[in-house]
Amino acid sequence: MSNEAKQIWIISFTIALVMSISCQKLSLRNEEVIHGDETYYLINPDIILDAIAKGQTTIFDLQTVTPQPALSQSLSTVQWTQKDYLSIVEALHQFVWHESIEDWSLRYILFSLNCDDVGKGPQSAYFIFYKVVENNQQKTRFEHQIYIDPSNNSAGWSEVEYRPSLVNQDPIELSKHKISITDALQIAENNGGQEARTETANKCTVNGEYINSFDNWRISYVKTLDLFAIDVNAFTGNYKIVEVQTK
């Protein structure tokens, strides 16, 4: 991953984090936000999926420092599907909390890749899961945020608590989707994305974002600012171009 691409990823990731909590902005004024632990692990992208399939559990090695984009030498790119990333999420959640992710609801997804890797699929992922727990007639909402970055040999998690819980969330129901992130990326490519990245000589990144308050994948081609963005409906595959950078 080039330094330019890493800088773009950091900018895109920061923007995505801000957007992912924007729907809660008003209610957070009355919710106490408690930031919990944050932990990162080294993973081996070459073997992790096979290890999970075999039921192995010693696949996450604790890191003593927070990884940075250039912490370790990048491995070759992966060709992981949405299902592959979710398998790692399930394994990590079980490893950390001894609880299946199936008991939690999903509210936010972000996939990212360099434009050079557009034919290989997502090269990193970020998920936010939540659960509302009632105790002594007060509802508390817990969030588990999970990061997977195979180019940096890294996976991690963080936890946030909101109390009292004042936000009503609608979960993302992936089992009902007909369009995965791979499908959405291909639709974006076929309808303006390929042209947008070619004009930059692939010096850009592609983000695929899903927020629980919408039914669409937002696919954005980014070089500091958005070059091209398209919404792809996760249930039908219908699309709408929402932004094209003027020349």
Side-chain angles (χ1 to χ4, degrees), residues 108-167:
Y108 180 78
I109 309 170
L110 173 66
F111 288 107
S112 188
L113 60 149
N114 291 331
C115 286
D116 277 333
D117 300 322
V118 75
K120 300 176 183 178
Q123 299 301 309
S124 61
Y126 169 62
F127 301 85
I128 301 178
F129 295 85
Y130 70 94
K131 177 186 280 190
V132 177
V133 177
E134 186 167 353
N135 187 23
N136 295 327
Q137 298 184 333
Q138 177 174 286
K139 291 182 178 180
T140 300
R141 188 173 72 262
F142 295 92
E143 283 192 350
H144 289 171
Q145 303 175 6
I146 295 179
Y147 321 81
I148 304 170
D149 183 5
S151 70
N152 204 32
N153 310 334
S154 182
W157 61 269
S158 60
E159 187 173 41
V160 183
E161 180 180 345
Y162 302 88
R163 60 185 183 191
S165 178
L166 301 175
V167 175

Side-chain angles (χ1 to χ4, degrees), residues 17 45-46 71 104 118 145 149 174 183 198 209 212 224 243:
L17 287 178
D46 292 334
L71 176 67
W104 289 66
V118 75
Q145 303 175 6
D149 183 5
L174 289 178
D183 301 323
T198 301
E209 183 181 40
N212 61 341
T224 307
E243 183 168 355

Side-chain angles (χ1 to χ4, degrees), residues 159-231:
E159 187 173 41
V160 183
E161 180 180 345
Y162 302 88
R163 60 185 183 191
S165 178
L166 301 175
V167 175
N168 293 321
Q169 298 279 359
D170 293 320
I172 299 172
E173 299 182 277
L174 289 178
S175 62
K176 296 182 179 180
H177 289 185
K178 294 182 179 180
I179 305 299
S180 70
I181 182 59
T182 303
D183 301 323
L185 288 170
Q186 189 59 59
I187 292 171
E189 277 286 291
N190 294 342
N191 294 281
Q194 181 178 5
E195 181 181 356
R197 66 179 174 80
T198 301
E199 289 178 355
T200 73
N202 280 339
K203 302 299 183 182
C204 55
T205 59
V206 186
N207 295 326
E209 183 181 40
Y210 199 108
I211 302 174
N212 61 341
S213 54
F214 299 96
D215 292 334
N216 300 317
W217 288 104
R218 169 64 61 85
I219 308 298
S220 303
Y221 292 70
V222 183
K223 185 175 183 179
T224 307
L225 299 175
D226 282 358
L227 302 169
F228 175 79
I230 184 172
D231 283 343

Side-chain angles (χ1 to χ4, degrees), residues 70-91:
L71 176 67
S72 57
Q73 183 178 0
S74 295
L75 300 178
S76 58
T77 54
V78 297
Q79 292 187 303
W80 290 352
T81 64
Q82 179 174 302
K83 184 178 179 181
D84 292 333
Y85 278 99
L86 287 168
S87 294
I88 299 171
V89 167
E90 169 65 31

